Amino acid sequence: MTTRARADAPGSGRAEMMSGFDYDLFVIGGGSGGVRAGRVAAEGGAKVALAEEFRMGGTCVIRGCVPKKLMVFASQHGPAAADAAAYGWQGNARGDFDWKGTFRPALHAELERLEAIYARNLGNSGATIFNARAVVKDAHTVALSTGETVTAKHILVATGGRPFIPDTPGAAELGITSNEVFNLEEFPKRMLIVGGGYIATEFACIFNGLGSHVAQWYRGAQILRGFDDEVRGFLAEHIRERGVDLHVGLEVEQMERRDGAIWVKGTDGREEVFDQVLFATGRVPNTDGLGLEETGVKLGRGGEVVVDDYSQTSVPSIYAVGDVTNRITLTPVAIREGMAFVETVFNGNPTKPDHENVASAVFTQPEYGTVGLSEEDARAAEKIDVYCAAFRPMQKSFIGSNERVLFKLIVSQATQKVLGVHIVGDGAGEMIQLAAVAVKMGATKADFDRTVAVHPTMSEEIVLMKSPTRSD
């Protein structure tokens, strides 16, 4: 799609602001990407409005990354008590987790605090906030659920995604999603997680760590599809060892409410009873009912907004960033896309968001951090060397735990550049951020080799692997 020559194409700059419109920019969606774009544009002098129909902060702050990570922290303290006892600490017997009286109220208070910060920062920038649903009526017009209609030179769609629940009998009536899990009135003692992606697997580990009996059912052959195959198997083994009743090749066939609980029948004939069933079976772009297709905005097969390299849609005045475009569905990516949009449209500096070598973390127990290519993707592109080490770290081996960590480097044979880094172990999410800098800079295996190790740490292994485990 070529639109650079249009009058309202990217790079049109500040001179065009407020040419007969109510706003220079109207943002639909109060998540991280939309708020960042709206705030920075407003701070630069644009007249900005933003509409959010639910709560400021979007999925990440209100019903995603932030509350989930707080639950991850909470879930680690129970198992840590057992480790403490093995190290000699007395009186650290693991008790019951107080969801209703302690954790849940504190969680909601924290989310309200963060929501207020988002709203305050955006308001302080000079942007107008509408607590309303917004629908696109044409290339420059937005209708609000309050009855108001406003016009804007540019419209930015940043409505994110939403959980998908399959058409399984009883699922819609009895199941919950990641949207509802943080609002449960009672802590579930028996929990079924349906799905095998990172959200499903994270929640399986969380509730297991908090003391629930957790089963995880996934229809595929192995959890965490799309990630490195060796890591997938390694994590599945460790998740089972920690107590999650993980089954692959298994789907829910039927669900019913029985005696105050949820009876579930699997496709293999098994029948079990749970207090809650959480469906983490994928997310879809949140574009239903926004008026985009009627306005001429092209949507993909999955409902995602189709954009070019500058986040511009098929309607030149309308842009989209974040999960609604289904490019890389991560909060930091949405923020970068929002910043690139402002640079392009309001600062006269056409900027493409950089989607290469984006690091990510899966907050399972143990954690998984990754940047770059998986072994499978790298091998499909070129000849590679694979360096891999799995071992019991000092902290665990001392107390007789069989838990292992894994470090893996994918290296190009032709250039010796490190194409991918994979780390499984406590703190992997923190470690991968630093490794990502090296990969982004194009570091070679020789660069890793000549880096002096920090001893004694488990992370020193990343610079100590000298011989390939396997090569093409």
Side-chain angles (χ1 to χ4, degrees):
M1 178 168 55
T2 303
T3 57
R4 303 283 84 77
R6 296 179 183 269
D8 48 5
S12 52
R14 299 175 186 271
E16 291 193 7
M17 292 194 294
M18 290 310 298
S19 52
F21 297 98
D22 296 325
Y23 298 97
D24 300 311
L25 172 64
F26 195 98
V27 182
I28 304 177
S32 298
V35 168
R36 179 65 63 89
R39 180 172 62 81
V40 174
E43 289 172 347
K47 188 175 182 182
V48 176
L50 181 147
E52 169 55 52
E53 64 178 313
F54 181 52
R55 296 176 65 180
M56 292 293 293
T59 295
C60 182
V61 173
I62 303 300
R63 51 190 180 272
C65 325
V66 172
K68 176 190 71 181
K69 190 63 181 291
L70 292 171
M71 287 186 72
V72 168
F73 292 146
S75 69
Q76 293 170 340
H77 287 289
D83 287 356
Y87 266 94
W89 287 92
Q90 302 299 310
N92 282 282
R94 179 173 173 176
D96 291 332
F97 175 63
D98 183 9
W99 167 267
K100 193 170 185 178
T102 303
F103 180 79
R104 185 176 178 269
L107 174 66
H108 284 211
E110 177 65 4
L111 300 186
E112 289 171 4
R113 185 184 72 85
L114 295 174
E115 180 184 11
I117 290 173
Y118 263 63
R120 183 168 62 251
N121 288 346
L122 182 60
N124 288 344
S125 73
T128 300
I129 300 173
F130 292 97
N131 297 310
R133 177 173 175 79
V135 175
V136 177
K137 304 306 291 185
D138 62 40
H140 297 285
T141 306
V142 174
L144 302 171
S145 56
T146 57
E148 301 169 82
T149 299
V150 299
T151 60
K153 178 66 177 175
H154 301 285
I155 297 171
L156 179 64
V157 180
T159 49
R162 66 180 189 277
F164 166 79
I165 293 185
D167 255 350
T168 304
E173 298 80 16
L174 301 176
I176 62 172
T177 71
S178 57
N179 280 359
E180 297 82 38
V181 70
F182 307 109
N183 299 317
L184 293 175
E185 290 293 332
E186 301 292 336
F187 182 76
K189 295 297 184 182
R190 301 164 297 178
M191 186 84 162
L192 172 62
I193 312 288
V194 183
Y198 73 91
I199 296 175
T201 309
E202 286 174 337
F203 275 114
C205 293
I206 287 169
F207 279 96
N208 177 65
L210 294 176
S212 290
H213 164 72
V214 177
Q216 182 181 358
W217 296 1
Y218 176 50
R219 66 180 182 178
Q222 185 57 282
I223 58 172
L224 298 174
R225 182 171 62 89
F227 291 94
D228 185 90
D229 280 353
E230 185 174 17
V231 172
R232 296 167 69 194
F234 187 89
L235 274 171
E237 176 186 344
H238 278 67
I239 288 168
R240 288 189 177 103
E241 287 177 354
R242 286 201 174 206
V244 175
D245 187 20
L246 171 62
H247 296 273
V248 295
L250 177 60
E251 296 183 73
V252 174
E253 183 177 284
Q254 188 179 354
M255 297 168 58
E256 293 179 6
R257 177 73 68 184
R258 293 186 180 180
D259 300 324
I262 302 172
W263 168 85
V264 182
K265 182 179 181 181
T267 50
D268 64 352
R270 75 179 63 215
E271 299 181 24
E272 295 190 43
V273 176
F274 300 95
D275 299 313
Q276 292 289 346
V277 178
L278 187 153
F279 283 89
T281 46
R283 293 176 64 83
V284 294
N286 199 17
T287 53
D288 290 355
L290 290 182
L292 296 173
E293 284 190 296
E294 295 83 350
T295 304
V297 174
K298 183 179 178 181
L299 301 183
R301 292 180 61 185
E304 73 276 12
V305 180
V306 177
V307 295
D308 68 6
D309 289 343
Y310 297 88
S311 299
Q312 189 176 40
T313 74
S314 51
V315 176
S317 59
I318 301 178
Y319 292 73
V321 297
D323 291 7
V324 75
T325 68
N326 201 29
R327 288 178 282 184
I328 298 179
T329 54
L330 295 171
T331 295
V333 174
I335 291 172
R336 286 295 184 94
E337 290 171 355
M339 294 292 290
F341 160 78
V342 173
E343 279 295 308
T344 298
V345 174
F346 292 102
N347 294 343
N349 178 29
T351 302
K352 300 177 182 179
D354 187 352
H355 293 122
E356 288 193 20
N357 290 325
V358 174
S360 63
V362 182
F363 295 106
T364 45
Q365 294 176 21
E367 286 181 7
Y368 170 33
T370 175
V371 62
L373 298 178
S374 67
E375 179 178 343
E376 293 70 38
D377 288 343
R379 180 168 283 115
E382 60 178 293
K383 291 186 176 181
I384 59 171
D385 292 326
V386 178
Y387 298 78
C388 189
F391 57 94
R392 291 196 303 164
M394 179 190 300
Q395 181 183 6
K396 298 296 183 180
S397 64
F398 180 77
I399 58 175
S401 170
N402 290 321
E403 184 174 306
R404 293 168 295 144
V405 297
L406 181 147
F407 288 82
K408 184 172 183 178
L409 301 180
I410 314 297
V411 179
S412 166
Q413 287 188 6
T415 67
Q416 285 298 295
K417 283 187 176 181
V418 177
L419 304 176
V421 179
H422 305 270
I423 303 172
V424 180
D426 291 344
E430 304 291 343
M431 286 186 274
I432 203 65
Q433 179 69 85
L434 303 180
V437 176
V439 173
K440 194 69 174 176
M441 293 176 69
T444 64
K445 183 61 170 63
D447 293 324
F448 277 64
D449 290 344
R450 66 169 172 261
T451 301
V452 176
V454 179
H455 182 76
T457 67
M458 67 178 183
S459 60
E460 65 184 303
E461 193 67 26
I462 202 169
V463 299
L464 295 179
M465 294 182 285
K466 301 304 181 186
S467 301
T469 310
R470 51 190 172 272
S471 300
D472 288 339

